């Protein structure tokens, strides 16, 4: 079953490759290029997964994460972070803020896709058993 | 000041002159065996006997006494301490410098380069994590690599791509590879440029050396400033106006008050002198005097900076700025009048500032330059510190060595003054050796306060030997001579044996000095056992003693 995935990423070629990969995997993809647009889009329609770049203009990835975890509707939505920062400290901070998984740039397509599937699986299971976290 | 071991110099000068020990001993009226002891530094001599030897060997006294090397010996000692080389104490440093002045100099130079290299490395590593341009570039590089990798994998993993898709993805890979190349080149250019970016400290040290060598007194500039003032035909009161007038009338400059560029060195452009409206009047006057000195005393400055001791363009530039400041001081605060007034007011800096219209720092700086042999003022050491303790403009005097590396003793008035901005603070500082110095300090901003702007502040300190106390008004509060008035301080933590000091920042690398007579050092801090006793008493005394004097 195809899922709906929102990509928040400001690099057009990265968006294009993610779009290709996820569409080919049978998902419906939307893309936005700023943090505030990501929040806006999710409030209108909650996707099954957010692929979130950390270095976003306007509202950066950390802020998007913090804010969406504060909204009851979005608090338990699976979020995968796209990051160039592989450092321990940054990872801990992202986990603290509620990130579910990471993909470090430059990523491998296979790795990215398998992680996306795992997160979607987990999200479906969580929603099935406990409606709200 | 560190004593130089001079035996080897005497021996070498004697041999150069082709004189035997016996003949020299006879000529100066001592026994050959005594001369032998002197030549092997078993007997320290000075004064009359050294003068006789110099006379007999027809050698300048300074060469034998090593007077010129005393700052070098101090620096070697300071270095040995700062590097925690145990066993290299003051005496060892002075023996080393006395016997091998060239090696000592090389040691000092090497250390400066080492310090530069360390600072450059720190600046570079800061740059990698904090330079926005570099961060942006590395982000771009990662993005480009990500796109290339992802599309390359797509081409490999999806054999069923439409020809149009294949063509587009190939195009993206080619485009991103191209951009990756230019990002890499930009990054290299940026890192390459970084090599010149951090200002190394050694040119500054060279200039500090140069200024010490001149004893912070430059007769040529004094004369030239006197002559320039004579051309202005004016009184001290009218001097700033006359300077302004000359800049406008003779040099065709326009003087304007406004928001100056933060970088003051850029302020003077072509025919415009921009006075920062937020700066104090004293700063404006000084700026105008410096501008005039640049224009009319530039030749003298150039001659002075052509000194061999200044080995790079950078150090000559720093020296040029120092000379321009010196000249401005000499112009605004005429030597004779300033010296007389200083003696008359007993070095009351506030009254001098009032009389000559200078800031505390300008006046303090001028006092340090009163070294003309026929009209010497009290010899003062000088030090300036910012709120973080960074030190600038160190100038040492005999017995009172101002630090160049790291900080000074945290108990010094130069730091205490920061707690009471715009008030003159005095302190009777007692060194571990028992020598006492009078410290006078004040923390001041050069600019008027402006809402929302950090105010650059500096604390400026003068220090003089208490033997000159009678001539200095700030000494009056300590004139009773009671021991309780003195604050026990050190030069810096490394060299300070005061083990119970509550302000200690670094472990000392020396132990308590052995009292003369060779008795063992006192039992280590018996008073530490009295919990809270002497230590807290000492502490409250210290705090009480950075007392505010008249403001």
């Amino acid at each position: 079953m195809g899922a709906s995935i929102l990509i928040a990423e400001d690099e057009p070629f990265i968006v294009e490759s993610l779009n290709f990969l996820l569409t080919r995997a049978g998902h419906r993809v939307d893309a936005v290029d700023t943090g505030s647009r990501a929040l806006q889009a999710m409030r209108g329609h909650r996707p099954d997964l957010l692929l979130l770049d950390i270095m976003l203009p306007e509202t950066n990835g950390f802020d998007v994460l913090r804010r969406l975890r504060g909204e009851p509707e979005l608090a338990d939505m699976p979020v995968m972070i796209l990051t160039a920062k592989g450092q321990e400290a940054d990872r801990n901070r992202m986990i603290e803020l509620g990130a579910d998984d990471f993909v470090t740039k430059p990523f491998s397509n296979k790795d990215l896709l398998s992680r996306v599937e795992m997160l979607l699986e987990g999200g479906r299971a969580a929603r099935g058993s406990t409606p709200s976290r | 000041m560190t004593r130089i071991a001079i035996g080897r110099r005497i021996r070498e000068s004697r041999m150069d002159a082709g004189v035997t020990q016996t003949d020299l001993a006879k000529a100066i009226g001592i026994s050959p065996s005594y001369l032998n002891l002197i030549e092997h530094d078993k007997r320290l001599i000075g004064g009359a006997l050294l003068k006789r030897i110099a006379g007999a060997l027809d050698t300048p006294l300074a060469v034998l006494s090593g007077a010129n090397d005393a700052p070098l010996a101090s620096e070697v000692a300071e270095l040995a301490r700062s590097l925690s080389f145990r066993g290299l104490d003051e005496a060892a440093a002075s023996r080393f410098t006395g016997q091998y002045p060239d090696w000592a100099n090389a040691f000092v130079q090497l250390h400066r380069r080492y310090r530069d290299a360390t600072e450059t490395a720190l600046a570079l590593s800061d740059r990698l994590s904090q330079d926005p341009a570099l961060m942006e570039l590395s982000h771009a590089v990662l993005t480009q690599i990500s796109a290339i990798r992802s599309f390359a994998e797509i081409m490999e993993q999806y054999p069923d791509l439409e020809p149009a898709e294949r063509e587009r993805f190939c195009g993206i890979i080619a485009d991103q590879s191209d951009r990756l190349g230019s990002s890499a080149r930009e990054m290299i250019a940026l890192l390459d440029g970084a090599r010149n970016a951090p200002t190394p400290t050694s040119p500054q040290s060279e200039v500090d050396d140069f200024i010490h060598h001149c004893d912070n007194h430059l007769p040529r500039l004094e004369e030239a400033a006197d002559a320039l003032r004579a051309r202005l035909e004016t009184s001290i009161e009218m001097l700033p106006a006359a300077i302004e007038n000359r800049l406008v009338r003779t040099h065709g400059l326009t003087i304007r008050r406004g928001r100056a560029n933060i970088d003051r060195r850029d302020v003077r452009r072509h025919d415009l002198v921009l006075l920062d409206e937020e700066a104090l009047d004293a700063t404006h006057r000084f700026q105008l005097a410096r501008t005039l000195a640049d224009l009319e005393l530039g030749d003298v400055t150039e001659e002075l900076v052509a000194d061999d001791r200044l080995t790079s363009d950078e150090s000559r530039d720093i020296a040029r700025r120092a000379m321009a400041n010196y000249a401005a001081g000499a112009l605004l605060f005429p030597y004779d009048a300033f010296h007389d007034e200083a003696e008359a007011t007993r070095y009351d800096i506030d009254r001098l500032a009032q009389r000559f219209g200078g800031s505390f720092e300008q006046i303090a700086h001028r006092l340090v330059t009163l070294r003309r042999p026929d009209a010497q003022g009290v010899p003062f050491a000088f030090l300036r510190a910012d709120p973080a303790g960074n030190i600038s403009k160190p100038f040492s005097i005999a017995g009172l060595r101002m630090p160049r590396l790291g900080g000074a003793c945290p108990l010094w008035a130069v730091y205490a003054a920061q707690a009471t901005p715009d008030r003159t603070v005095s302190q009777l500082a007692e060194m571990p050796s028992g020598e006492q110095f009078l410290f006078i300090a004040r923390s001041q901003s050069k600019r008027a306060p402006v809402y929302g702007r950090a105010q650059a502040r500096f604390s400026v300190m003068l220090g003089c030997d208490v033997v000159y106390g009678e001539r200095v008004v700030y000494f009056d509060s300590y004139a009773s001579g009671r021991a309780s008035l003195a604050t026990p301080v050190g030069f810096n933590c490394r060299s300070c044996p005061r083990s119970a000091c509550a302000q200690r920042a670094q472990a000392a690398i020396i132990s308590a000095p052995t009292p003369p007579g060779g008795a063992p050092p006192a039992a280590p801090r018996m008073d530490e056992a009295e919990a809270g006793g002497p230590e807290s008493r000492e502490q409250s005394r210290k705090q009480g003693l950075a007392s505010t004097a008249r403001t």
Side-chain angles (χ1 to χ4, degrees), chain B residues 511-524:
Chain B
S511 45
T514 311

Side-chain angles (χ1 to χ4, degrees), chain A residues 9-14 16-18 20-22 24-25 53 55 83-85 104-110 113, chain B residues 135 139-140 142-147 149-154 157-158 160-162 165 168-169 172 175-176 179:
Chain A
E9 164 67 79
D10 62 326
E11 298 294 342
F13 294 130
I14 303 290
E16 190 169 344
S17 81
L18 290 172
F20 175 88
L21 293 167
L22 296 169
R24 278 290 191 117
D53 180 33
M55 306 271 277
T83 174
K85 298 180 170 184
T104 309
K105 290 179 188 175
F107 50 84
S108 117
N109 294 348
K110 278 187 179 161
L113 287 172
Chain B
M135 279 167 70
H139 179 70
L142 261 174
T143 303
Q144 288 144 4
I145 293 177
S146 301
R149 173 167 182 192
S150 187
F151 283 111
E153 283 184 10
I154 288 172
Q157 289 157 2
Y158 297 84
D160 59 333
L161 288 176
E162 301 287 328
E165 276 179 327
R168 165 146 182 88
F169 295 171
I172 291 175
D175 173 80
Q176 292 290 290
R179 278 167 207 262

